[in-house]
């Protein structure tokens, strides 16, 4: 499965998954969701010049629709497999529920972030505090 991934990339993938394995399921789901773009890059197959040109020619509306679909159905995407690798004994329904909750927490963090109020750090702390109140059950450090 990972034959084409370089050793350094594999090491980073393994490190991210090992860190997630040490967390409770819900926190691991959030950690892996937040790392999904990095993991996609590390685990992805290099594109040929033709594939890159075809991807670049796709209409923006199509790209945005795919991104929205991937977000709205994250529990059926690559994060599911990653979370199962980090928590192999977790049931599929629990894994999916944890991913759905993680995406909601992430969305709420961004939703509560206000561009114009306070300094950058205060705005982040406020957004996370409000999101955490709305989405209980995560570790403080998450």
């Amino acid at each position: 499965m990972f034959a084409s991934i370089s050793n350094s990339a594999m090491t980073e993938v393994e490190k991210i998954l090992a860190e997630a394995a040490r967390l409770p399921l819900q926190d691991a789901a959030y950690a892996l969701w937040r790392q999904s773009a990095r993991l996609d890059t590390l685990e992805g197959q290099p594109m040929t010049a033709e594939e890159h040109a075809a991807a670049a020619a796709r209409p923006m509306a199509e790209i945005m629709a795919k991104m929205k679909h991937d977000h709205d159905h994250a529990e059926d995407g690559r994060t599911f497999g990653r979370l199962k690798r980090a928590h192999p004994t977790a049931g599929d329904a629990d894994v999916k529920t944890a991913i759905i909750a993680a995406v909601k927490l992430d969305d709420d963090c961004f939703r509560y972030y206000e561009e114009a109020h306070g300094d950058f750090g205060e705005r982040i702390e406020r957004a996370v505090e409000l999101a955490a109140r709305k989405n209980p059950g995560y570790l403080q450090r998450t």
Side-chain angles (χ1 to χ4, degrees), residues 13 16 32 35-44 78 82:
V13 169
I16 291 168
L32 292 172
Q35 292 281 337
S36 61
R38 179 71 183 140
L39 288 163
D40 287 348
T41 299
L42 292 169
E43 294 177 329
R78 296 178 83 179
R82 292 170 182 146

Side-chain angles (χ1 to χ4, degrees), residues 75-96:
E75 72 276 12
D76 296 319
R78 296 178 83 179
T79 301
F80 177 85
R82 292 170 182 146
L83 189 54
K84 284 293 284 187
R85 287 179 4 228
H87 284 269
T89 61
D92 289 0
D94 291 335
V95 168
K96 288 184 178 208

Side-chain angles (χ1 to χ4, degrees), residues 9 19 21 50-51 64 69 71 77 83 109 117 119 122 128 137:
E19 289 171 6
E50 292 170 350
E51 290 170 332
M64 296 302 292
H69 179 271
H71 172 276
L83 189 54
C109 285
H117 296 96
D119 75 9
E122 290 172 354
V128 170

